[in-house]
Amino acid sequence: MVEKRVYTRDFQRMVAKAYYTSEKSMAKVGKEFKVKTGTVYRWTQRYKDEFSNERSIRQEISTFKSVPNTEPAMKKPKLTPDQMEQRIQELEAQLKQEQMRSTVLDKMIDLAEQDLKISIRKKSGAKQSE
């Protein structure tokens, strides 16, 4: 029986964004993120309207390496309890910073929607008006 992998929408968007903001082929993007080329194709089609005209975010691609499912699998050395505690603190600090970043970005979108009086966020599943 083949194991079916389930990816988050954020991960799917990230892969599509990586394709549209780089000069890499779908196969190379798939290899980078350990996803089949056909899967990359489906995700790029799903987010085509959102990312196809976007080329100014190349610097964000470097942050993709810190997202789970993108780093190559490596054997990690055994850590002492003190090292584990320190690592936990580092990860909690990173999580807190990313949560704050997410909150700020959401607020920026809310303010832009309010000022421009347009809907920036897409409604998933709903057909968009033309």
Side-chain angles (χ1 to χ4, degrees), residues 4 20 28 55 72 120:
K4 184 176 180 178
Y20 282 116
K28 285 186 180 181
R55 294 283 179 189
I120 295 173

Side-chain angles (χ1 to χ4, degrees), residues 35-51:
V35 176
K36 293 180 181 178
T37 306
T39 305
V40 175
Y41 175 78
R42 282 194 311 277
W43 294 346
T44 56
Q45 293 303 303
R46 181 178 297 154
Y47 296 104
K48 185 175 186 173
D49 292 339
E50 188 174 348
F51 295 125

Side-chain angles (χ1 to χ4, degrees), residues 4 13 16 22 24 30 61 67 70 77-78 85 95 101 124:
K4 184 176 180 178
R13 285 182 77 249
S22 72
K24 296 177 184 173
I61 293 174
V67 175
T70 62
K78 299 248 181 197
E85 185 63 36
L95 175 62
R101 180 177 179 267
S124 69

